[in-house]
Amino acid sequence: MSTSPPGSEARAGRYAAGGIALLVLAFGVVAWLAGWHLGADSAVYRAGALTLVHGDPLYTRDVLTALPDWVRLPFTYTPAAAPLFLPLALVPSGLVWGVIAVLSVVALMVVITVVSSPPRGPSLLGRSRWALPAGTVIALALEPVWKTLFLGQINLILMAFVVLDVLVLSVRGSRWAGVLIGVAAAIKLTPLIFVPHLFFTGRWKDGLRALGTFVALEAVMFAVIPVDAARFWRDSATDPSRVGSVHWIFNQSLNGLFNRASELAPWSLAAAVGVAAVLAVPAVWLVVRLHRRGEEAGALLVTAFYGLLLSPVSWSHHWVWCVPLITLLLVKARWWAAVAVAVLFGSQIVMLVPNGGDVEFGWGLGWSVLGNVYVLAAAGGILGLAARELRLVRRSTQVVTV
């Protein structure tokens, strides 16, 4: 029989998880002192902030002057992202990756904690002191997660913003609900998908607050850098190719799939949008049904994965939403489904399929299935859940009739 006082198990788990975060920070410091080149994207964040301070143009085909020599990437984020990255300008260039990495790991733990502790039902973390640290370590092996960390991306941080907003602040009726989504969207446009999520689930005030936060932050930048802000919304925001080759395997979106299949045919984007429009019907219906049943995390995940399909560019590291999905499946004791998702994203399959240059155009059926596996799995998951939900509706209707 355990003699541990109440709460000691949870505290031990948090201490172990904190130890993981400290290890990541220590590794970041070592990487800085050793002069290793890690986190190309985190270098872009810092360079964007410094470019704003220096008064230089953000949206240019030339490399930002504040970038280190080993990085050759454009600033692809919104004008409002630059001032939000200003704290990184205070960090030494080589240490920025370590700072982003430790914040990302903490964000990962926050997401696991929130999703595993639903308002109703058992908490996954309460079952074992090792649940959170073990879940964190397993998550670090998933391709979207480790790649996010390696690149110095902020996908995990933005995901934590959305999860906290929808599953904590909004559920509690906070006056701040919606603000975190607005901030996330002001950095990367893709979190805007969660504004209609709030509207469809009847949280109009939260949705308007999110939209208002986003518009306000971007409007300020028209006053600060009017030329750059206009250039972004006129040119950069509508040019997916600016962030890389849209047909590359790592663009796991409907647009990426159609561009690969059609060899960059001019109608590819229109076809992707058309399929996304059709898929929106079951996706929205699912979101509404799950919300009404009190399954807020499930509804949120449907929107997240639909957003990944809809976006013109969804790099494989954007698919960090696999972490809350696996967590939710474990909470619901759907063990085989959780294992299947973990195997899919832990298999590194998109790293193993031949790619690069024009290789994707000659895949054939077998490689095409494996090379579009995230897209096919998400679309199939939404359709499968919608079909199951429809069966439940019909069954309940038959019971009422009888």
Side-chain angles (χ1 to χ4, degrees):
M1 180 180 294
S2 174
T3 58
S4 300
S8 63
E9 292 280 325
R11 282 196 298 273
R14 287 194 292 269
Y15 291 150
I20 294 174
L22 288 176
L23 285 174
V24 172
L25 180 60
F27 183 79
V29 172
V30 170
W32 169 42
L33 297 176
W36 297 340
H37 294 163
L38 296 175
D41 288 308
S42 60
V44 173
Y45 304 151
R46 183 176 184 273
L50 289 173
T51 300
L52 177 66
V53 172
H54 296 158
D56 296 329
L58 279 168
Y59 304 104
T60 172
R61 290 292 178 179
D62 297 327
V63 176
L64 298 179
T65 56
L67 277 172
D69 294 338
W70 57 277
V71 180
R72 290 291 182 268
L73 296 172
F75 189 79
T76 60
Y77 306 92
T78 74
L84 293 173
F85 290 145
L86 280 174
L88 297 178
L90 304 175
V91 179
S93 177
L95 189 57
V96 172
W97 177 83
V99 171
I100 294 291
V102 72
L103 291 176
S104 294
V105 170
V106 171
L108 178 66
M109 295 176 185
V110 167
V111 169
I112 293 173
T113 300
V114 171
V115 176
S116 64
S117 306
R120 292 177 291 276
S123 169
L124 180 65
L125 300 186
R127 301 174 192 174
S128 169
R129 74 173 70 180
W130 302 111
L132 180 57
T136 302
V137 170
I138 292 171
L140 292 174
L142 305 177
E143 186 264 344
V145 176
W146 71 253
K147 189 177 289 183
T148 286
L149 293 176
F150 174 75
L151 295 173
Q153 268 281 345
I154 55 171
N155 303 311
L156 292 164
I157 297 171
L158 297 184
M159 179 173 67
F161 279 12
V162 174
V163 167
L164 286 171
D165 207 329
V166 176
L167 300 185
V168 178
L169 297 179
S170 188
V171 168
R172 295 177 180 176
S174 170
R175 295 179 181 179
W176 293 96
V179 172
L180 288 177
I181 288 177
V183 172
I187 297 174
K188 277 190 176 183
L189 294 177
T190 46
L192 280 174
I193 190 68
F194 299 104
V195 175
H197 174 89
L198 293 172
F199 289 153
F200 282 123
T201 54
R203 290 171 280 194
W204 286 89
K205 289 183 179 179
D206 298 351
L208 291 173
R209 203 175 288 120
L211 193 59
T213 301
F214 167 76
V215 172
L217 290 172
E218 299 299 344
V220 168
M221 299 314 294
F222 271 98
V224 177
I225 48 172
V227 175
D228 251 2
R231 184 180 294 123
F232 174 81
W233 292 106
R234 184 184 65 243
D235 302 323
S236 301
T238 56
D239 182 13
S241 64
R242 192 169 184 273
V243 301
S245 300
V246 293
H247 72 281
W248 198 19
I249 186 176
F250 298 112
N251 180 15
Q252 289 290 308
S253 69
L254 287 169
N255 185 46
L257 182 152
F258 276 99
N259 272 286
R260 286 188 284 274
S262 69
E263 300 187 17
L264 296 175
W267 48 262
S268 297
L269 179 58
V273 172
V275 172
V278 173
L279 196 60
V281 176
V284 171
W285 182 66
L286 264 178
V287 167
V288 174
R289 289 275 303 177
L290 292 172
H291 166 71
R292 289 177 178 173
R293 203 157 58 226
E295 297 185 31
E296 298 293 351
L300 178 62
L301 287 172
V302 171
T303 299
F305 282 100
Y306 175 76
L308 290 167
L309 294 174
L310 175 65
S311 176
V313 176
S314 292
W315 298 125
S316 65
H317 55 80
H318 293 169
W319 288 72
V320 291
W321 286 93
C322 62
V323 174
L325 174 58
I326 294 170
T327 305
L328 182 62
L329 290 171
L330 290 174
V331 168
K332 292 179 172 293
R334 295 176 181 171
W335 313 111
W336 289 112
V339 170
V341 176
V343 168
L344 170 62
F345 289 98
S347 67
Q348 324 299 323
I349 187 63
V350 295
M351 303 293 295
L352 303 176
V353 176
N355 68 87
D358 295 336
V359 172
E360 285 88 345
F361 300 150
W363 271 349
L365 179 60
W367 286 127
S368 292
V369 171
L370 294 176
N372 294 294
V373 65
Y374 291 3
V375 180
L376 297 175
I382 291 174
L383 292 173
L385 286 173
R388 189 194 68 171
E389 196 68 25
L390 186 59
R391 287 196 298 271
L392 292 175
V393 171
R394 288 176 176 172
R395 192 176 303 162
S396 62
T397 302
Q398 290 173 354
V399 171
V400 171
T401 303
V402 173

